[in-house]
Amino acid sequence: MPMMDGPQIEAFLAAEFPQVSGYTVERVDDAGVTLRLAVSDRHLRPGGTVSGPTMFELADLAMYAAVLSRIGPVALAVTTSANIDFMRKPPAGRDLVADCRLLKLGRVLAVGDALIRAEGHEGVVARAAMTYSIPPKP
């Protein structure tokens, strides 16, 4: 059972990480989360495609949201390992959607993966595997 729902995660991110914007939590359940990025011109690189750093941020934020959904509002949960594969060029003018699932949630580590697709397209544009460190409870 998730401890935080979509609106709670969005409110937490707005308060703790105001530097990230344009994200919407679309799904929260026991398996993970779906996070949408409203792609704008600032996310594009030369050639009219979404930049790699933008896709990495989406994957990392989706994993963070998945962890928060299960452990509650813990600002100091941090990425300890990340690997991303860019598989195809996402088209400009389409939102990106990351489906993140938690594969293991332990006391000190959470492991998950995220598949990123362009809205309206079936093909995966990027795949990320991530591990988060969960700080000890006081």
Side-chain angles (χ1 to χ4, degrees):
M1 169 84 51
M3 290 187 70
M4 294 179 76
D5 62 18
Q8 290 170 322
I9 293 169
E10 289 176 5
F12 177 80
L13 292 173
E16 296 295 326
F17 298 100
Q19 63 272 29
V20 297
S21 62
Y23 295 92
T24 305
V25 179
E26 294 193 336
R27 172 188 63 91
V28 176
D29 59 29
D30 288 341
V33 303
T34 299
L35 192 67
R36 173 180 296 270
L37 170 62
V39 174
S40 67
D41 286 344
R42 71 184 181 95
H43 300 113
L44 303 181
R45 62 172 293 255
T49 187
V50 178
S51 72
T54 295
M55 289 186 275
F56 182 88
E57 180 178 88
L58 173 59
D60 192 40
L61 198 57
M63 178 64 180
Y64 187 53
V67 170
L68 292 177
S69 77
R70 298 290 292 279
I71 68 171
V74 179
L76 296 179
V78 296
T79 310
T80 59
S81 176
N83 180 48
I84 190 165
D85 298 307
F86 300 105
M87 301 165 82
R88 56 182 51 89
K89 179 179 168 178
R94 301 236 183 215
D95 288 356
L96 292 184
V97 178
D99 286 309
C100 183
R101 64 186 174 149
L102 288 177
L103 303 172
K104 179 180 186 256
L105 179 62
R107 204 171 32 82
V108 295
L109 292 177
V111 178
D113 64 12
L115 297 177
I116 300 174
R117 293 178 175 84
E119 181 180 44
H121 287 79
E122 286 296 315
V124 173
V125 298
R127 177 188 64 93
M130 302 197 155
T131 302
Y132 259 69
S133 175
I134 301 168
K137 294 181 180 177

